[in-house]
Amino acid sequence: MLNTFVMPDFYPAASELFLAAMACVILVVDAFAGPARRWLTAILTMLTLVGCMVITYLTFDGSSALTFGNMFVDDPVADFLKLLVYIAVIVVLIYGRDYMAARNLDKGEYYLLVLFATLGMMVMISAYNFLTLYLGLEMMSLSLYAMVAIDRDSARATEAAMKYFVLGALASGLLLYGMSMIYGATGTLELGVVAQAIHEGTTNRTILVFGLVFMVAGIAFKLGVVPFHMWIPDVYHGAPTAVTLFISSAPKLAAFAMALRLLVSGLFGLAEQWQTMLMIMAVASIGLGNLAAIAQTNIKRMLAYSAISHMGFMLLALMSGVAGAQLDPMALINAYSSAMYYSVAYVLMSLGTFGMVLLLSRAGYEAENLEDFKGLNQRSPWFALMMAILMFSMAGIPFFVGFFAKFSVLLAAIAAGHVAVVIIAVMFSLVGAYYYLRVVKLMYFDKPVDGAPIQAGLDMRLLLSANGLAVALFGIFPDSLMMLCTATLVRSL
């Protein structure tokens, strides 16, 4: 009996197909345009991302659709996270344009790697099958490895890329091995069918738990949480700052989507097991991240340890969806929407903070030490205010978006009965406030080491100002973003 081929519906994946086609077009255009017309590649890249944004917005209808043999899902969560990814990548390109141009790194391969990494994130966000998820993850990861080493004359960047590649390959192997064990136990790669098989109890529980451990290890590496955090400080420090900005922003949204798809959509029947693992990693990440950041004099390394702490808070929300044997749908939605809200808030703050580092950097000079922020208020009171807003928000001080992100996570954890964990998280957050407020002290109370004027284009100045003000406004009006996260999850889960 012959199998009949069913033509998949390409409409839900229109933005991915458009980006893949445009990346191929840009590759050819860049090869023929030459170095003299390098600006053409940058403009086409920006137009491609704007085009993806328009397509995603126009194809959004509030419903969920499966295609490509149930390997790809298009739902409100996917569309919302993809829109945020496009915005984050556009902001990264604008912030990093002058920095990369001053170091002769704004070549065609940089923009193509950005596009392929973005395509990998989009596939991860919409994956509904282990195979699709792994393909998206590897497309993103391989592009990031190359981006870290894009400055081939820098020994520090090359070393960071090698560490990232070796540890990333190990993590991918762990994830793939975990997927193979889940496949062996359930006989399927589709997340929905895996969830059904676990629910029916027809599978070997021991194999499932072993597979789950390996998969959680892979997720933890991509999020950069303890004990799989070793790559974060070295990669953040070694990579060109514009690349560090990229790694610290959009991929965090894709990693959150991967955790949501795997743990909630596929392995929810094993929630009691992965909840315990996430709890241990969350507490360890919040503790180690905040304590290690205090000792740093390099702001990129400080923000790297800060990222570990912030991802620990995100895991704290993710593990709070299940309270023992209780399965309250609203508690689930509140916990997962808090995790999404925290991820979005962190990306917004990270974009602005690394944007400030790029603003103070110039040709032949890297403003990546804490000393470089001394006396910033005397050089530019406005941008000192923007940096102060970002630092207050990261520290979780009212009334900025970071405070409400932390507050929503802690409320979800208390509702799930994890009061002791919440107390530990709050104590470490108080410790962490020190290194954020230290930056504010340097800006306002120390004399400037570098008196050179701040050189940046008007577009970067306006966008950086908008970024800082957005952090403040989402703190004054936190409900709009939180309700958006909740609405997308209600329609998707």
Side-chain angles (χ1 to χ4, degrees), residues 466-491:
N467 195 334
L469 292 173
V471 169
L473 286 173
F474 280 125
I476 298 170
F477 306 104
D479 289 347
S480 55
L481 186 58
M482 188 66 182
M483 288 171 65
L484 199 56
C485 293
T486 304
T488 54
L489 280 165
V490 166
R491 292 187 177 189

Side-chain angles (χ1 to χ4, degrees), residues 197-445:
I198 295 172
H199 179 70
E200 291 173 354
T202 56
T203 55
N204 187 315
R205 196 81 174 179
T206 306
I207 296 176
L208 283 175
V209 172
F210 270 104
L212 173 68
V213 170
F214 284 108
M215 288 179 69
V216 169
I219 294 170
F221 178 87
K222 296 307 171 186
L223 286 170
V225 293
V226 176
F228 304 96
H229 65 287
M230 299 81 70
W231 62 276
I232 291 263
D234 288 333
V235 170
Y236 274 43
H237 185 201
T241 306
V243 176
T244 305
L245 169 62
F246 185 80
I247 294 171
S248 71
S249 54
K252 302 296 184 188
L253 296 171
F256 163 75
M258 177 174 77
L260 191 72
R261 299 288 187 202
L262 284 177
L263 299 180
V264 179
S265 299
L267 302 172
F268 189 77
L270 301 173
E272 289 186 17
Q273 284 77 19
W274 57 252
Q275 183 187 43
T276 306
M277 287 186 265
L278 294 192
M279 184 187 299
I280 295 168
M281 291 191 297
V283 172
S285 299
I286 295 169
L288 185 142
N290 283 314
L291 291 174
I294 293 174
Q296 307 305 315
T297 57
N298 181 285
I299 195 164
K300 287 166 71 176
R301 293 188 77 89
M302 187 194 89
L303 292 171
Y305 284 108
S306 164
I308 295 168
S309 166
H310 284 293
M311 289 300 102
F313 267 98
M314 195 278 287
L315 287 185
L316 187 60
L318 206 58
M319 68 155 213
S320 300
V322 184
Q326 301 173 16
L327 284 179
D328 181 7
M330 281 314 299
L332 292 175
I333 294 297
N334 286 336
Y336 301 143
S337 61
S338 296
M340 182 187 284
Y341 181 52
Y342 200 96
S343 301
V344 175
Y346 172 72
V347 169
L348 183 64
M349 295 184 292
S350 184
L351 286 170
T353 308
F354 279 104
M356 283 299 305
V357 177
L358 287 168
L359 179 76
L360 299 181
S361 301
R362 57 182 186 275
Y365 181 74
E366 299 282 343
E368 57 181 39
N369 292 315
L370 291 175
E371 286 188 354
D372 297 314
F373 285 84
K374 282 185 174 181
L376 180 60
N377 184 52
Q378 297 177 35
R379 297 172 62 194
S380 174
W382 175 253
F383 285 112
L385 175 63
M386 293 299 104
M387 188 63 174
I389 288 173
L390 291 161
M391 290 295 99
F392 285 143
S393 182
M394 283 222 173
I397 293 173
F399 287 88
F400 301 100
V401 69
F403 166 76
F404 287 102
K406 279 192 169 112
F407 188 63
S408 64
V409 167
L410 296 175
L411 283 181
I414 289 172
H418 305 301
V419 179
V421 176
V422 168
I423 293 171
I424 294 170
V426 170
M427 294 301 293
F428 279 121
S429 290
L430 291 174
V431 172
Y434 164 76
Y435 59 85
Y436 293 120
L437 298 180
R438 179 175 57 182
V439 178
V440 178
K441 179 260 180 187
L442 292 172
M443 293 191 300
Y444 283 93
F445 297 102

Side-chain angles (χ1 to χ4, degrees), residues 17-238:
L17 296 171
F18 173 75
L19 194 150
M22 283 303 297
C24 296
V25 170
I26 292 170
L27 178 63
V28 175
V29 169
D30 182 71
F32 284 98
R37 296 186 181 87
R38 196 174 287 172
W39 54 269
L40 189 59
T41 307
I43 290 175
L44 284 174
T45 302
M46 298 289 277
L47 289 175
T48 300
L49 292 167
V50 172
C52 288
M53 197 184 301
V54 172
I55 292 170
T56 302
Y57 178 76
L58 292 177
T59 55
F60 176 76
D61 60 2
S63 62
S64 299
L66 289 166
T67 185
F68 299 110
N70 293 346
M71 297 174 72
F72 185 96
V73 63
D74 180 34
D75 57 13
V77 164
D79 289 333
F80 179 58
L81 290 176
K82 283 178 196 174
L83 286 171
L84 293 175
V85 164
Y86 306 144
I87 294 168
V89 175
I90 289 171
V91 171
V92 166
L93 291 176
I94 294 173
Y95 283 170
R97 187 187 59 197
D98 292 340
Y99 178 93
M100 299 298 277
R103 290 152 183 79
N104 197 30
L105 298 175
D106 62 333
K107 300 175 183 176
E109 51 265 36
Y110 167 67
Y111 293 102
L112 285 164
L113 287 170
V114 167
L115 286 179
F116 282 116
T118 306
L119 180 59
M121 290 180 236
M122 294 163 68
V123 173
M124 282 174 68
I125 289 169
S126 283
Y128 200 67
N129 187 290
F130 289 150
L131 184 60
T132 330
L133 186 70
Y134 190 74
L135 287 173
L137 177 65
E138 287 306 292
M139 186 181 295
M140 180 190 77
S141 298
L142 292 171
S143 301
L144 293 180
Y145 303 152
M147 285 176 70
V148 173
I150 199 164
D151 186 1
R152 289 176 289 183
D153 298 327
S154 170
R156 196 174 72 181
T158 307
E159 179 189 349
M162 285 296 294
K163 289 178 180 176
Y164 193 13
F165 173 71
V166 171
L167 291 172
L170 176 64
S172 295
L174 291 173
L175 186 69
L176 195 60
Y177 187 60
M179 289 177 175
S180 68
M181 294 186 80
I182 300 290
Y183 173 69
T186 61
T188 181
L189 295 171
E190 187 181 329
L191 293 177
V193 182
V194 168
Q196 185 179 355
I198 295 172
H199 179 70
E200 291 173 354
T202 56
T203 55
N204 187 315
R205 196 81 174 179
T206 306
I207 296 176
L208 283 175
V209 172
F210 270 104
L212 173 68
V213 170
F214 284 108
M215 288 179 69
V216 169
I219 294 170
F221 178 87
K222 296 307 171 186
L223 286 170
V225 293
V226 176
F228 304 96
H229 65 287
M230 299 81 70
W231 62 276
I232 291 263
D234 288 333
V235 170
Y236 274 43
H237 185 201

